[in-house]
Amino acid sequence: MYYLADYYLKHHQALTSPFSIVPLLLGSFSIVLYALLFYFSEELVQMAEATRRGDKIYFPVPIALPLLFSWVHGSFAGHFWDLLGFKPRSG
């Protein structure tokens, strides 16, 4: 899978410096997602209750939210460890 942040790292030399802006942007986006999750927690509970009652229009929400959080946080963590200089061992 080709991530947007990886595209920018490969095609924009200004972002490949040791103090890259990509981890900062992804970390900020992750913080905003968590803040929105807490802000809209009541609405998410109402969606879950409506789905349980039979209103199936909200069923993609509990599938899409964890995927979005996982993608953003995973991208951030990968770029953060690269920024710190940690690389996996090559076997």
Side-chain angles (χ1 to χ4, degrees):
M1 197 161 182
Y2 202 75
Y3 295 108
L4 182 63
D6 292 332
Y7 171 81
Y8 281 112
L9 280 175
K10 290 180 182 174
H11 292 89
H12 298 287
Q13 292 298 326
L15 296 179
T16 57
S17 69
F19 298 103
S20 175
I21 196 168
V22 175
L24 181 64
L25 291 175
L26 289 169
S28 299
F29 189 49
S30 182
I31 290 170
V32 167
L33 281 176
Y34 279 107
L36 288 173
L37 178 69
F38 286 116
Y39 185 76
F40 290 108
S41 62
E42 290 296 321
E43 287 82 358
L44 291 171
V45 169
Q46 290 172 359
M47 283 185 212
E49 290 170 354
T51 303
R52 193 171 293 161
R53 287 190 305 263
D55 190 8
K56 300 299 182 198
I57 195 167
Y58 299 116
F59 83 91
V61 173
I63 297 168
L65 280 177
L67 289 174
L68 179 65
F69 274 84
S70 177
W71 178 76
V72 170
H73 184 74
S75 296
F76 164 71
H79 288 290
F80 178 74
W81 290 122
D82 285 344
L83 184 68
L84 292 179
F86 291 104
K87 302 285 182 190
R89 290 185 189 173
S90 58

